[in-house]
Amino acid sequence: MAFIRRVRTKSGATAVQIAEYAAGRQRILKHVGSAHTEAELGVLLARARELLEDPGQGVLELGVDPQPMATGLARPAREASLLDPVPVAPPAVRSSPGRVVGRDSRVLFEALAAVYAQLGFDALEDEVFASLVLARVVEPTSLLDAARVLADLGQEAASYKTMGRVLARAKERGYRDQIATACFEHAVASGDVSLVMYDVTTLYFEAEKEDDLRKVGYSKERRVDPQIVVGLLVDRNGFPLEIGCFEGNKAETSTIVPIIKAFQARHEVADMVVVADAGMLSATNLRQLDEANLRFIVGSRVTKAPIDLASHFRWHGEAFTDGQVIDTTTPRTGRNSDNDVLVRAEPTWDRTEHPGSWRAVWAYSAKRAARDHKTLTLQENRAKAVVAGEKAARTPRFVKKNGGDTVLDEASLARARRLVGLKGYVTNIPATVMPAGEVISSYHDLWQVEASFRMSKTDLKARPLFARKRDAIEAHLTIVFTALAISREIQNRTGLAIRNVVRQLRPLRSATVAINATSQTFPPQIPADKQAILEAIHHGRLTH
């Protein structure tokens, strides 16, 4: 009796053959072909079955319904001989040959969808919103182009109008509040939120006119387009917890308190430390955070060093040792006498004894000093070039006007040279609760929020924005916020940047094969290194 045989060839392909047992040996009756992929193998096996199967035997293994076969004219009956070839039924009549009708990256989509669900975002019960979030993780693009990305991921995209309705639904149903709650629960379950970090950025619009939200404001990139100010709160691992949107001309220092208070109110959190850079250092901010019973660590401006370190400069001059830490006080506003320069020892900050000051921690680094010296030298040379008329530019640092002449500001330059290598931190946490070293290390985790902002701007392309109405803008930020949470979680699990993960997993293409008006999708062969990434995404950190 004839049967189907699969044989591995030297080239690594799989040969599909029809054979029979004759005199105790296998005899090949027909070589159907060689397959190099699972999809090709499926087609060849279906072809081999067509050559063997009787129509009365029912549905084939691959789910292909056999078609009636042409029987031809009957021959006169005679004794069968062992030398006669085994009768093989003629091939079934097919509407078309087996063919690959589609290839997609559904393996990647399913991995991302698993993380989406594990973070609790599927509680929204909105498949269209979920598809837009996952499409942005893979390839950030416009709403109009999202259908193309989803098709490449093996998903049937909703219509453009339906996607537009999702943006309105996101605002109406409070998707961001639900996402933020799920993020908080995940952060608490996987670590803690006793220390959170805050920073702001701007997102610009491809628009000419301003409105109540989109306004021209301060831009580090010196853009003059309308923009909005976005505040982001993350945990110590960079996982997003809260996001807020403000008018484009709003001062950065006035954004931190509303975001923190919204976070507190949503999750009823009372005991936590807020870390922010020197841009948030304002007397009003620190006072409001303190009044809200929040502890803070904020970067200090180096220009405050001469006041805070007046005692050190009096008793020790400008000498510092590498790694030296000075724990002292800093006036909340202006100057005060809490740090008496006539006393050699630095004061230990106490809320009761020093009501007009905050605690200040200053650290000196030889490496930072070398970097600062290099920067100051470049700035000095640029200033001298402007003074000498060799370079026309905006007035650089260390250049001033004196009697109508442009001169080098030698006093400011000398003052800056004196403070190289110093970095200051302002806090309301007593030394008995948090040592100076921990204050410094906590602040250094601030790079995590900066990394999240870079990810949202580059990998997730949160800007430029093309939406006009505030609800659409807020919905866009909600999608970016959700995509950022997924991206950070995948990065934390795998130890790989999200772009790297997408670049490695997207080429794993599933193939859909159509035979006799039916189709079946075959998964790709996954190499060991890619399988390790998938395992890490689903279960934990990638091991190298």
Side-chain angles (χ1 to χ4, degrees):
M1 182 177 179
F3 60 91
I4 298 173
R5 190 172 88 138
R6 287 187 283 183
V7 181
R8 179 69 67 178
T9 67
K10 291 183 179 180
S11 66
T14 301
V16 177
Q17 303 166 342
I18 296 176
E20 70 165 350
Y21 279 103
R25 295 185 177 183
Q26 292 186 15
R27 182 174 64 164
I28 299 174
L29 299 178
K30 183 175 181 61
H31 177 77
V32 182
S34 296
H36 294 82
T37 66
E38 290 289 338
E40 292 175 354
L41 180 59
V43 173
L44 291 178
L45 289 174
R47 173 61 176 161
R49 290 188 181 93
E50 288 176 354
L51 294 174
L52 283 178
E53 292 288 345
D54 187 298
Q57 291 184 3
V59 179
L60 297 177
E61 184 180 339
L62 287 180
V64 181
D65 294 320
Q67 303 297 324
M69 300 183 181
T71 58
L73 297 177
R75 293 182 178 180
R78 69 179 181 84
E79 291 288 331
S81 169
L82 290 175
L83 298 178
D84 290 343
V86 175
V88 177
V93 178
R94 295 183 298 172
S95 58
S96 62
R99 64 193 184 280
V100 177
V101 295
R103 293 171 63 83
D104 55 62
S105 300
R106 65 183 60 195
V107 170
L108 172 59
F109 183 87
E110 289 167 358
L112 298 179
V115 177
Y116 182 93
Q118 290 165 7
L119 291 175
F121 300 157
D122 55 347
L124 297 178
E125 297 183 346
D126 191 327
E127 293 184 2
V128 179
F129 177 83
S131 66
L132 291 177
V133 169
L134 300 183
R136 179 158 291 275
V137 174
V138 175
E139 183 183 336
T141 185
S142 66
L143 200 64
L144 192 62
D145 197 33
R148 174 189 60 80
V149 179
L150 289 169
D152 186 65
L153 295 171
Q155 308 303 307
E156 185 175 350
S159 68
Y160 179 72
K161 287 186 177 180
T162 300
M163 292 181 187
R165 285 193 289 270
V166 168
L167 299 183
R169 193 159 62 236
K171 177 66 175 178
E172 294 168 1
R173 299 182 183 178
Y175 281 4
R176 189 185 300 174
D177 291 343
Q178 297 179 61
I179 294 294
T181 298
C183 286
F184 176 79
E185 292 173 352
H186 173 75
V188 171
S190 59
D192 68 83
V193 291
S194 61
L195 185 144
V196 296
M197 286 156 284
Y198 179 81
D199 203 356
V200 297
T201 190
T202 56
L203 301 180
Y204 67 87
F205 292 77
E206 293 291 345
E208 296 181 358
K209 296 182 179 180
E210 297 179 286
D211 53 33
D212 292 340
L213 178 63
R214 302 178 298 171
K215 294 183 178 294
V216 176
Y218 171 75
S219 170
K220 295 177 182 177
E221 300 169 352
R222 304 184 185 277
R223 302 187 68 94
V224 292
D225 305 287
Q227 64 182 25
I228 59 174
V229 175
V230 177
L232 180 66
L233 193 70
V234 306
D235 70 5
R236 65 175 71 232
N237 295 315
F239 188 76
L241 299 172
E242 195 84 27
I243 194 169
C245 174
F246 304 92
E247 294 80 7
N249 60 355
K250 194 175 187 69
E252 293 183 355
T253 54
S254 61
T255 64
I256 184 171
V257 173
I259 292 285
I260 299 298
K261 286 187 174 180
F263 180 79
Q264 274 190 296
R266 188 194 310 281
H267 309 298
E268 299 181 353
V269 177
D271 186 20
M272 66 180 185
V273 179
V274 181
V275 182
D277 69 9
M280 300 297 109
L281 182 63
S282 75
T284 301
N285 277 348
L286 302 189
R287 175 179 54 78
Q288 290 182 347
L289 290 174
D290 189 65
E291 289 174 351
N293 295 319
L294 289 170
R295 293 173 291 174
F296 59 78
I297 300 173
V298 181
S300 183
R301 298 184 180 90
V302 72
T303 52
K304 296 178 67 68
I307 298 175
D308 298 355
L309 301 177
S311 295
H312 177 89
F313 287 127
R314 174 184 175 85
W315 295 99
H316 305 284
E318 299 178 9
F320 294 94
T321 59
D322 189 26
Q324 183 175 355
V325 174
I326 301 173
D327 205 332
T328 184
T329 64
T330 184
R332 295 190 181 191
T333 58
R335 294 173 178 266
N336 60 37
S337 58
D338 285 349
N339 189 347
D340 189 350
V341 296
L342 300 179
V343 178
R344 188 185 187 96
E346 297 289 342
T348 299
W349 180 76
D350 180 88
R351 182 184 298 274
T352 303
E353 295 180 8
H354 308 107
S357 299
W358 300 118
R359 179 186 175 195
V361 176
W362 287 89
Y364 178 85
S365 165
K367 184 177 180 180
R368 184 185 297 114
R371 185 172 62 249
D372 290 349
H373 271 301
K374 183 177 180 180
T375 300
L376 287 173
T377 298
L378 291 174
Q379 293 174 335
E380 179 183 6
N381 292 339
R382 189 180 301 115
K384 288 179 177 179
V386 170
V387 170
E390 300 171 359
K391 187 174 183 179
R394 291 189 302 271
T395 303
R397 188 181 181 187
F398 307 130
V399 171
K400 66 177 183 178
K401 294 289 185 179
N402 185 7
D405 296 328
T406 301
V407 298
L408 181 67
D409 191 346
E410 295 182 357
S412 295
L413 179 60
R415 209 161 36 240
R417 294 278 187 194
R418 183 188 185 198
L419 304 176
V420 295
L422 289 171
K423 175 64 180 177
Y425 314 87
V426 178
T427 181
N428 63 344
I429 307 174
T432 53
V433 175
M434 181 178 288
E438 190 174 344
V439 170
I440 296 170
S441 63
S442 296
Y443 182 87
H444 286 178
D445 284 337
L446 194 59
W447 69 269
Q448 291 281 12
V449 69
E450 296 170 353
S452 290
F453 264 134
R454 283 195 301 273
M455 185 182 293
S456 67
K457 289 181 178 180
T458 57
D459 297 333
L460 303 178
K461 290 184 171 58
R463 62 181 187 182
L465 283 170
F466 298 93
R468 293 184 299 106
K469 297 182 179 179
R470 181 161 195 151
D471 286 355
I473 294 169
E474 295 278 10
H476 172 80
L477 286 180
T478 300
I479 290 174
V480 172
F481 179 65
T482 311
L484 177 60
I486 294 171
S487 300
R488 288 299 311 215
E489 180 63 14
I490 290 175
Q491 184 168 307
N492 291 340
R493 292 185 185 186
T494 64
L496 302 174
I498 187 64
R499 286 301 100 199
N500 190 354
V501 172
V502 171
R503 186 170 58 251
Q504 292 199 57
L505 298 186
R506 197 172 186 180
L508 300 177
R509 312 286 278 180
S510 299
T512 301
V513 179
I515 306 173
N516 288 354
T518 65
S519 63
Q520 183 167 346
T521 299
F522 296 90
Q525 183 174 354
I526 303 177
D529 58 334
K530 307 300 188 296
Q531 185 63 45
I533 295 175
L534 290 170
E535 289 293 328
I537 290 175
H538 286 286
H539 305 297
R541 190 167 183 83
L542 179 65
T543 56
H544 298 280

